[in-house]
Structures are given as structure tokens and as C-alpha cells.
Amino acid sequence: MKVRNSLKSLRARHRDNQLVRRKGRVYVINKTQKRFKARQG
């Protein structure tokens, strides 16, 4: 999992990417391509 400042650019890399907020953190998750996974903060 990558920790990044900006998740907007990572979200655009695959069409199945989703931005999710959990416990005050922002995550990018992808059910089909598991390698697109990132956290902010």
C-alpha cells in the first residue's frame, strides 16, 4: 500500500478504483486489481 499526499491522480489510473473514507483516513481501494491500494495521511 502506498501512502501519498494526493490520491486523486492514483484514483484515475484504473476505472475500478474507489475513494473511501474510514476512521478519518482516505483510501483508494480496488476489488479487481489489488495493487491499486493507497492511503492518505
Side-chain angles (χ1 to χ4, degrees):
M1 179 186 296
K2 290 190 179 350
V3 179
R4 300 289 293 259
N5 291 329
S6 174
L7 295 183
K8 207 172 211 180
S9 55
L10 284 181
R11 188 180 155 256
R13 291 182 66 195
H14 195 275
R15 57 187 171 86
D16 291 338
N17 283 353
Q18 298 176 341
L19 267 180
V20 183
R21 297 196 62 166
R22 292 179 188 157
K23 299 180 182 175
R25 289 179 173 167
V26 186
Y27 293 89
V28 171
I29 61 172
N30 191 327
K31 296 278 172 80
T32 58
Q33 295 282 336
K34 301 288 198 233
R35 68 173 188 252
F36 293 110
K37 193 158 60 167
R39 171 171 76 81
Q40 189 174 41

